[in-house]
Amino acid sequence: DGMNVLFIVVDDLRPVLGCYGDKLVKSPNIDQLASQSLVFSNAYAQQAVCAPSRVSFLTGRRPDTTRLYDFYSYWRVHAGNYSTLPQYFKENGYVTLSVGKVFHPGVSSNYSDDYPHSWSIPPFHPSTEKYENDKTCRGKDGKLYANLVCPVDVTEMPSGTLPDIQSTEEAIRLLNVMKTNKQKFFLAVGYHKPHIPLRYPQEFLKLYPLENITLAPDPWVPENLPSVAYNPWTDIRQRDDVEALNVSFPYGPLPDDFQRQIRQSYYAAVSYLDMQVGLLLNALDDVGLSNSTIVVFTADHGWSLGEHGEWAKYSNFDVATRVPLMFYVPGMTTSSVTQGERVFPYLDPFSHILGLVPKGRSEKVVELVSLFSTLAELAGLQVPPVCPEMSFHVALCTEGASIVRYLNALQENMEEEKDGCDDTSRCFNEEPVAFSQYPRPADTPQWNSDKPKLKDIRIMGYSMRTIDYRYTVWVQFNPNNFSANFEDVHAGELYMVETDPNQDYNIYNNTSHG
């Protein structure tokens, strides 16, 4: 009880990490965190785009309840005055701090990252964030471009730094302030990379020689994929280097060698991110708080690297919805740490140490919407009640059930916890399911298919993922009253995980699976 919380959320990070079994990526610091944590192999975001996903897990409500499927409304005005996860900790005596991209900036968090509701002091944004999409990538001709693939010399960047480096520095500064003031804190740190543009210090490229980079296992558009399910990766097409390739809309494909370069740069950006996470966790050791701080590490959604012929997020496939999720809880996921003992010594990705495996792994299907209730329970706060069916008028409730029972099961070294049922609203006899959704403006790929504005949404794809399958139905949607008509099904998808892990063979119309 009374532990601090360090909540690390990464933008567009799919689970390409050593601790998730990826053999190529070098992520020693995140793997070290995993070696002291319970790692969830099947964790899913509720919508594979930044603002809706973040508002969903920070309020503990699904997108149909926040009514945010795009970037252009603030839930407190547009849906209901819902309490947020940091707000709940703030109301319970914590100093709550936001560094980098936690809420999505702009309208969707009231141009203030929901300050002062959620945070004790104004949120910190790196001063160099504003250059993110500028022409800072040097081309072969020596000129500067706004490219997708953008390894850089950091000394040449504006202010001689990059946003995530600034965020790490500020987070470390705040840890020192909290230590000095002996204040209980909830510190959220939001990292940008590997979000596009793939702009990172160029030395990370040498970790990934191009000849080691393969294409996606399924770089083609699946034959039975309904066209409504496809995302045409329009934001990538607008980058200078991709635009120069003159790729046909909507299906492409991108040239193989360029696909490899994107994948190489994504991995390099992940190792750069790993370095930042390593420095941050090392600082937690330095201030002597590793034994009294819960650390959560996750992402707002995944990212396609050529699977199904797709790039970016904007879909219901696992590559877009599945995220890394791990919880480090001193005394629970690890035996108690003695004061002053180093738990997270910094590991240099360039002299990479292999072989750190997760402390515990859960294959259970879980959702990011459960973060609110889970963190409240882990910190010894009262767990918010489960929302009633209609909860627009309820300020404090959550649509995600706490997953602390899986951490308890780890503690008891039991593979399966007995499904007890003392409280009917929290009954877990059913198979766990993760729900995701994605809106579309039309049945075929359009220029606004990836990010339709609310008024343009005509179809909603509702997707459920169980341990055995992913099932999606694309149904008629009315944006004026936020209603989905399940009588009007435009298309459907069904993939069996065991025989089709990459979700390439849609058997929705296959009569033998009636």
Side-chain angles (χ1 to χ4, degrees), residues 49-325:
V49 69
C50 306
S53 174
R54 288 162 186 265
V55 168
S56 170
F57 67 69
L58 289 164
T59 60
R61 318 273 184 136
R62 299 181 186 280
D64 281 348
T65 310
T66 65
R67 295 187 160 173
L68 181 70
Y69 315 105
D70 58 16
F71 299 82
Y72 308 106
S73 65
Y74 179 43
W75 78 91
R76 292 185 192 273
V77 174
H78 186 74
N81 189 19
Y82 311 144
S83 296
T84 68
L85 168 61
Q87 178 184 356
Y88 190 59
F89 274 79
K90 185 180 167 199
E91 287 163 358
N92 279 283
Y94 281 73
V95 176
T96 56
L97 307 157
S98 173
V99 172
K101 185 173 171 184
V102 181
F103 279 101
H104 195 282
V107 189
S108 62
S109 58
N110 204 32
Y111 297 101
S112 66
D113 296 310
D114 198 46
Y115 173 79
H117 296 287
S118 288
W119 310 108
S120 304
I121 61 172
F124 170 85
H125 284 278
S127 61
T128 59
E129 210 172 86
K130 58 179 173 287
Y131 307 113
E132 202 45 12
N133 295 307
D134 288 6
K135 298 190 178 221
T136 55
C137 322
R138 203 166 288 293
K140 291 203 168 68
D141 57 6
K143 295 193 185 117
L144 292 175
Y145 294 93
N147 285 343
L148 169 62
V149 172
C150 186
V152 296
D153 178 343
V154 177
T155 61
E156 289 181 358
M157 292 300 100
S159 308
T161 187
L162 290 171
D164 285 344
I165 295 172
Q166 290 184 291
S167 292
T168 302
E169 288 164 354
E170 175 64 9
I172 292 172
R173 187 187 74 79
L174 289 171
L175 283 176
N176 281 290
V177 172
M178 292 299 107
K179 163 78 170 172
T180 307
N181 299 352
K182 298 190 166 48
Q183 284 172 302
K184 203 163 55 166
F185 61 84
F186 178 104
L187 169 59
V189 182
Y191 285 115
H192 278 267
K193 291 304 124 189
H195 192 288
I196 63 171
L198 298 168
R199 189 170 74 124
Y200 55 87
Q202 60 198 17
E203 57 270 22
F204 285 92
L205 263 183
K206 61 172 175 277
L207 292 173
Y208 301 100
L210 207 51
E211 59 270 20
N212 295 351
I213 307 295
T214 57
L215 297 181
D218 52 349
W220 63 89
V221 180
E223 204 171 310
N224 294 326
L225 183 72
S227 53
V228 68
Y230 183 79
N231 74 280
W233 33 281
T234 44
D235 54 355
I236 283 181
R237 294 168 190 274
Q238 289 152 16
R239 307 281 162 176
D240 292 350
D241 50 354
V242 180
E243 209 173 9
L245 296 168
N246 214 1
V247 179
S248 67
F249 184 88
Y251 295 113
L254 289 172
D256 286 1
D257 61 332
F258 193 73
Q259 291 193 37
R260 285 195 177 84
Q261 283 176 42
I262 297 176
R263 289 169 69 92
Q264 175 192 37
S265 274
Y266 187 90
Y267 290 131
V270 170
S271 290
Y272 159 59
L273 160 77
D274 181 80
M275 178 183 252
Q276 302 310 313
V277 172
L279 293 168
L280 176 60
L281 292 173
N282 184 62
L284 192 65
D285 272 354
D286 286 345
V287 293
L289 295 175
S290 302
N291 62 337
S292 56
T293 303
I294 295 162
V295 182
V296 191
F297 178 89
T298 193
D300 53 359
H301 43 71
W303 213 77
S304 302
L305 285 168
E307 294 85 1
H308 314 112
E310 294 183 325
W311 302 88
K313 45 256 184 179
Y314 316 126
S315 81
N316 281 320
F317 286 120
D318 275 19
V319 281
T321 56
R322 183 171 166 245
V323 292
L325 176 63

Side-chain angles (χ1 to χ4, degrees), residues 426-438:
R426 295 183 171 276
C427 200
F428 296 112
N429 292 340
E430 307 117 44
E431 175 179 27
V433 174
F435 294 98
S436 303
Q437 60 191 97
Y438 212 85

